[in-house]
Structure formats: structure tokens, C-alpha cells
Amino acid sequence: MPDDLENWHVVEGYLAVIVIVAVVALLAAGGLFLLFRPRRKAPPPVKPPEAPILPEEERRPAAEEGEGATTTLPPPVKPAEPAVVVPEIEVPPPSAGRMVRLRSRLARSQSSLGRGLLDLLSRDRLDDEVWDEIEESLITADVGVSPTRIMVEELRTKVKVLGSRTSQEVRGLLREQLLAQVNPDLDRTLRVQKHGERPAVVLIVGVNGTGKTTTTGKLARSLVGDGKKVVLGAADTFRAAAADQLQTWGERVGADTVRGPEGGDPASVAFDATAKGIEEKADVVIVDTAGRLHTKTGLMDELGKVKRVIEKKATVDEVLLVLDATTGQNGMRQAQVFAEVVNITGIALTKLDGTAKGGIVISVQRELGVPVKLVGLGEGPDDLAPFDPEVFVDAILGD
Ligand SMILES: Nc1nc2c(ncn2[C@@H]2O[C@H](COP(=O)(O)OP(=O)(O)OP(=O)(O)O)[C@@H](O)[C@H]2O)c(=O)[nH]1
């Protein structure tokens, strides 16, 4: 074989080796690429749309219909247009006959006293022990020691004269005695008559918490019910809520309320209320005062000043002391402090529906020397009544 041919075979051998190596290298590189190729980032999971949150009452029927039940959603509620609130002026009933209307409330709270006394007085033998029991019943009902003694003495004498008694006679005797102590002859008319162009002024005094502001509001209603034009003065500047409360009472019956800044001078509010009453040609101005029993002189100064400034423009015709019937002797002591610092002309006895101790009517009149003119017989706006002694005594005795 010639040398050239031999060389050519050697070159061919080399070339084949190179090709094989190149193919193997390519395959290896491809495998490595597949193994380590960069991964494409997965897209974020798509969140299913959230179901609308329905109010409790709309969710409940769907649950009751069972799983898979379809619920028809109510059409979206259009927000209501803001309504213009026109306060409705109420027409309260007149004051006359209110105590008769509220008689059942009184009977409910007071008749146990009457029943007890009638039972004791109807016994065949009325010995000292029974008389002691009668005395105790009267004292427990807050009648007061000395009116109780007077009543028991009178009853003893009359029972002796009568001898045997029918239940009607016993009732008659007790009625007579109770009525005498309540005293139907006292003048209980509210002085709310206008003086020419000037309105009458009523000052409401008493300890806070006795129902003073409530009574002022109820009185305004009652006077409006009697056809009078009323202006209110919120001179209880000590308690901010009292002015709001009074204003609400006034708005309900169309009466304007004059108020001042919280903690301001009560006398200045009383003065402005009187001026407003004159300007509006009102019949009555009712001024609610603060009832802080800080010191007696402080109270005297405050109420004295309120009265003096009103009297620059009008006359204070009525000073009503509000007393909570449920507070018994404690309330009575506080009432006495007021009576010492201001000339009280009448008592408004509140919450008489909430106590069996109706005898307080007798004792408070006696202690303070002024008549009970108004009684509160409930929380309703028209549950304030002119006091009527006969209705009161009959409610105690029952039918
Ligand atoms: N049952 C009954 N509740 C009454 C009577 N008078 C007032 N009240 C209630 O007593 C509650 C308490 O009244 P008070 O705490 O004295 O409040 P107020 O009327 O603002 O009185 P002041 O604090 O004195 O201004 C209120 O819910 C009144 O409705 C009443 O004659 N009978």
C-alpha cells in the first residue's frame, strides 16, 4: 500500500473519533440544560370572589333552606333621604279631673293602709292593744306623731259614743278623721294668673333627684293643656342634662326654653326667661332651679338672687317645693332647709304611686305649713295632678 493511502486512513480514523466525541458532548450538554434550566415563576393563585356579607336576618333563611340552596339576594337598599323632622306639638289633657283618672294608681299604693285600719276598727273589742296597732299603722305610713295622736284620740271618743259599729260607720269615722288631717279647706289653687301684660312666674325648688325637672316639664304640659302659653327657664345650670331634659319637655308642647351655659349664673337664666315670657306675651314662666344642698347660706344666696332678679321684671307668684314621697323623714328634713331659705307657697309631692306611706301628705303640710298642691302619680307625661283631698282619702279607704 502506498504511503498516501495509509495516511488517509489514519486521518479518517481521527475524524470519526472527533465526531463521536462531539456528539457525546452535545448530548451531555442537552441533558444538563434540561436538568438545570431556570423554572418559570408560577402565577399567583386566583382568589375566588368573596361572598357579600349579609345581615343576620338575611343569612338565616338560607341556612334553613339546607346546603346548596340558592339564595336570591335582595336588591341593594337605597340609603334613605335624610328626613326633615318637624317636631309634632302634642295637645295634653287639661288638669281638671286628673286625680280621678289616676285614682287606681293611688288606690294600689295606699289601700293597704286603709284596709288595715278598717279591719282593726271593725273588731268587736277595741282594747289598748288594738289602739296601739292603729297608732302604729298610722305612724308607719308617715302620718307623723302628733297628727296620729289627734286621730287616735278622736276615733276613741267617737267609737265609745257609737258602741256597736257597722262597717259603713267605721269607714265613715275613719274618712272623717283622715280628711280632717289632710285639711280640705286649704287653698290649693296654683297662682298662675297673668298680671296684665306680665306673666305669672312659678319657681320650682327642691333637692336634685326628687323629680324636680320632670315635675317642671309635667307642669308645663298641664298648663298648656289648660290653654296657657308657657315659657320655661332652665336655671339648673349645675346639671347640663337638666336643661336638655327641660327643653325636650317644652318642645313637645310648643313651649320655649331659655337656657344658659353649663355652670353659668342661674339668676341670669331666670332673668332672661322672665324677659322672654314678657316678650312672648306668655301666661306663665316656670323656672327650674338647681337643688344643691351645699350649704344653707349658699342655697339661700342662690335662690334669693334668682328671686330678686325675676322681681326686677315680674312677680314670683308661686314657689313650689318638689318632695319625693318615697324618701320619708330624710326628704322631710331636706324640705325644711328649703322652707327656711325661701318662702314656699306649695308642695309638689312626687312618686306617690310608689309608696304606701301616703301619710306624708299630712305630715309635710303640718311641718312646712303649706298645702300639697300637686301630686306625681307615675312616670307618664300627664301623671301630675292637682291634689284633691277627697279623692286621696277615698283611694286610701278603697270602695
Ligand atoms: N313613679 C313615678 N316616677 C316619677 C314621678 N316623678 C318623677 N318620676 C321619675 O323619677 C325618675 C327620676 O327622676 P329624677 O331623678 O328625680 O330626675 P329629674 O326629674 O331630672 O329630677 P331632678 O334631678 O330633681 O331635676 C324619672 O324617671 C321620673 O320619671 C312620679 O310621680 N311617679
Side-chain angles (χ1 to χ4, degrees):
M1 204 193 238
D3 282 351
D4 285 354
L5 197 61
E6 205 171 309
N7 284 346
W8 172 243
H9 279 302
V10 172
V11 169
E12 245 182 358
Y14 280 136
L15 277 173
V17 170
I18 288 167
V19 167
I20 288 165
V21 168
V23 168
V24 168
L26 270 173
L27 285 174
L32 282 172
F33 173 76
L34 282 175
L35 213 60
F36 298 107
R37 75 182 157 151
R39 298 245 161 111
R40 283 247 312 271
K41 227 175 145 190
V46 181
K47 235 174 126 188
E50 276 182 19
I53 296 170
L54 293 175
E56 189 66 31
E57 58 272 23
E58 286 176 29
R59 261 182 283 158
R60 212 170 293 125
E64 281 162 9
E65 281 160 28
E67 288 242 336
T70 51
T71 316
T72 316
L73 291 181
V77 182
K78 245 176 89 182
E81 299 260 319
V84 181
V85 183
V86 182
E88 206 175 293
I89 308 275
E90 295 171 27
V91 184
S95 59
R98 283 194 185 197
M99 197 146 163
V100 174
R101 177 175 68 79
L102 298 166
R103 192 170 175 255
S104 60
R105 302 249 178 98
L106 206 51
R108 222 177 298 145
S109 58
Q110 309 302 321
S111 62
S112 61
L113 167 68
R115 264 200 312 273
L117 290 171
L118 289 172
D119 281 353
L120 289 166
L121 284 166
S122 302
R123 294 207 183 152
D124 289 338
R125 255 177 60 79
L126 289 178
D127 54 21
D128 284 349
E129 219 170 280
V130 178
W131 285 112
D132 283 349
E133 269 188 71
I134 292 172
E135 197 172 307
E136 210 179 296
S137 305
L138 289 166
I139 287 176
T140 309
D142 273 350
V143 169
V145 176
S146 105
T148 296
R149 294 246 161 88
I150 296 169
M151 279 181 74
V152 169
E153 276 311 304
E154 289 277 327
L155 285 167
R156 278 187 105 137
T157 316
K158 300 225 159 133
V159 160
K160 223 178 261 169
V161 173
L162 267 181
S164 62
R165 296 138 272 139
T166 65
S167 58
Q168 270 315 97
E169 282 169 331
V170 167
R171 193 180 186 282
L173 270 185
L174 192 56
R175 186 177 192 277
E176 188 191 339
Q177 286 309 309
L178 284 168
L179 207 50
Q181 291 306 318
V182 176
N183 196 352
D185 300 330
L186 292 176
D187 180 10
R188 297 174 200 274
T189 41
L190 271 186
R191 288 183 243 151
V192 285
Q193 291 307 319
K194 219 174 156 163
H195 310 271
E197 286 294 288
R198 278 184 295 130
V201 181
V202 179
L203 211 56
I204 310 284
V205 303
V207 186
N208 283 114
T210 51
K212 196 164 49 63
T213 305
T214 314
T215 301
T216 309
K218 286 180 181 173
L219 178 60
R221 278 182 76 87
S222 165
L223 291 172
V224 169
D226 288 340
K228 297 203 182 285
K229 184 174 171 57
V230 176
V231 166
L232 292 165
D236 182 355
T237 56
F238 182 66
R239 195 166 69 89
D244 294 338
Q245 212 179 318
L246 203 59
Q247 191 164 354
T248 307
W249 278 102
E251 278 167 0
R252 287 174 68 177
V253 290
D256 281 336
T257 302
V258 175
R259 48 191 296 180
E262 191 181 343
D265 183 10
S268 122
V269 177
F271 183 83
D272 291 347
T274 311
K276 179 103 177 159
I278 295 168
E279 182 195 310
E280 285 195 3
K281 299 190 178 7
D283 296 289
V284 194
V285 174
I286 315 176
V287 179
D288 179 24
T289 62
R292 280 169 299 155
L293 266 183
H294 29 36
T295 59
K296 196 168 149 186
T297 33
L299 188 70
M300 201 182 300
D301 288 349
E302 190 167 299
L303 291 179
K305 191 174 166 198
V306 165
K307 204 161 174 242
R308 272 197 312 280
V309 298
I310 292 172
E311 284 173 345
K312 286 186 180 172
K313 290 196 160 286
T315 317
V316 175
D317 299 272
E318 193 79 69
V319 181
L320 286 178
L321 172 80
V322 180
L323 180 67
D324 179 343
T326 64
T327 56
Q329 284 308 309
N330 193 27
M332 195 86 97
R333 268 190 297 281
Q334 294 174 335
Q336 263 157 349
V337 176
F338 277 88
E340 283 161 24
V341 303
V342 68
N343 191 18
I344 291 162
T345 57
I347 298 154
L349 195 59
T350 62
K351 311 182 194 179
L352 201 53
D353 56 311
T355 175
K357 300 179 170 220
I360 195 164
V361 171
I362 295 169
S363 50
V364 74
Q365 289 187 155
R366 205 183 158 86
E367 301 265 328
L368 304 186
V370 283
V372 169
K373 291 191 171 180
L374 296 167
V375 281
L377 290 167
E379 294 203 62
D382 299 314
D383 292 347
L384 182 77
F387 181 67
D388 181 330
E390 301 217 6
V391 177
F392 176 67
V393 170
D394 286 338
I396 291 179
L397 295 175
D399 290 320

